[in-house]
Amino acid sequence: METQTLSVADAIRGRRTVRHYRPDPVAPELIEELLELAMQAPSAWNMQDRSIVVVTSESGRAALSEAAFGQPQPKEAPVVLVFVADAAAWRAANADIAELAGRNGAWNAEFTAMFDTRAEYLALERHGLLRENAVKNAMIAATYAMLAATGLGLASAPMNGWDPALVKQAIGIGDRDDLAIAVLVTVGYSDTVPPHPGRRPRERTVFAERYPAAH
């Protein structure tokens, strides 16, 4: 498999949000590499409370386009990644997470004991933040996926305008109130090279120590 060789910095600077795609299919091995890289994304306590549903069928992509209020990206792109956040994942034993981390030398007994208490998740539950936490983890994975796509010579676009109930129906979880849709990412080959729209000067969006007071 031949792929582009880009530094992380080049992938960040070169990524563009692409709304129209050529019909060319994406090779299965490229999709596999993209998914492998996306799943390397970190998550709180390594809970990995996010999943990806890979939609490539014409009917599935059409359903996602309908769920996205008729936006064309899911119909045109050969691959749509649906990032699903599982706010209840922490309730399971998840012994495999701690065991693997221990075998790899990443967690010691003290850290594993902290993981087993789920104290942080109990605090999140008290404050009604479990869904938000899981969605944040899914969004981190989606960012990894888009940068990985750029590095693999693919184009992508994050999609945040859709009816979550219809997206759930399209991927077979219409009855799962415990799951949330974080974002859709379309993947394929761009039919154009979109120019960079530009960003505001950093002094408008980056601050030292404290957010500025309202004027």
Side-chain angles (χ1 to χ4, degrees):
M1 177 181 66
E2 294 186 4
T3 61
Q4 290 184 345
T5 301
L6 293 178
S7 69
V8 174
D10 285 342
I12 290 172
R13 291 190 175 99
R15 187 210 63 80
R16 297 290 181 271
T17 294
V18 170
R19 293 180 172 82
H20 294 287
Y21 297 82
R22 304 199 308 263
D24 311 44
V26 178
E29 57 269 26
L30 278 181
I31 298 175
E32 287 300 311
E33 178 69 3
L34 175 61
L35 296 172
E36 169 63 24
L37 293 170
M39 289 294 92
Q40 293 298 317
S43 57
W45 286 98
N46 199 28
M47 192 61 70
Q48 301 162 71
D49 48 356
R50 70 290 185 270
S51 302
I52 304 174
V53 178
V54 184
V55 181
T56 59
S57 69
E58 185 175 347
S59 60
R61 291 184 289 109
L64 290 174
S65 176
E66 182 178 352
F69 314 123
Q71 293 184 71
Q73 298 96 301
K75 279 188 176 181
E76 293 185 13
V79 181
V80 184
L81 308 179
V82 182
F83 287 78
V84 180
D86 183 358
W90 66 284
R91 297 185 188 280
N94 294 306
D96 62 307
I97 294 174
E99 289 171 2
L100 182 58
R103 288 201 305 272
N104 288 340
W107 290 8
N108 59 23
E110 180 182 3
F111 196 89
T112 299
M114 293 170 61
F115 173 80
D116 289 339
T117 68
R118 302 292 197 278
E120 184 174 323
Y121 284 93
L122 292 169
L124 289 170
E125 184 177 38
R126 287 195 300 272
H127 289 86
L129 296 173
L130 289 172
R131 180 187 183 281
E132 180 178 329
N133 178 73
V135 168
K136 288 175 181 176
N137 291 330
M139 292 301 299
I140 294 170
T143 301
Y144 267 53
M146 288 185 286
L147 293 178
T150 302
L152 294 169
L154 298 166
S156 65
M159 296 186 64
N160 203 28
W162 28 261
D163 182 326
L166 292 180
V167 173
K168 284 187 173 185
Q169 289 178 18
I171 61 172
I173 56 170
D175 59 344
R176 295 291 300 275
D177 292 337
D178 56 316
L179 299 176
I181 304 300
V183 68
L184 278 62
V185 175
T186 51
V187 178
Y189 295 98
S190 178
D191 68 345
T192 60
V193 180
H196 196 304
R199 296 292 186 265
R200 284 176 163 170
R202 281 199 305 163
E203 56 267 25
R204 290 282 302 272
T205 53
V206 179
F207 312 106
E209 304 297 340
R210 297 176 67 85
Y211 195 84
H215 297 292

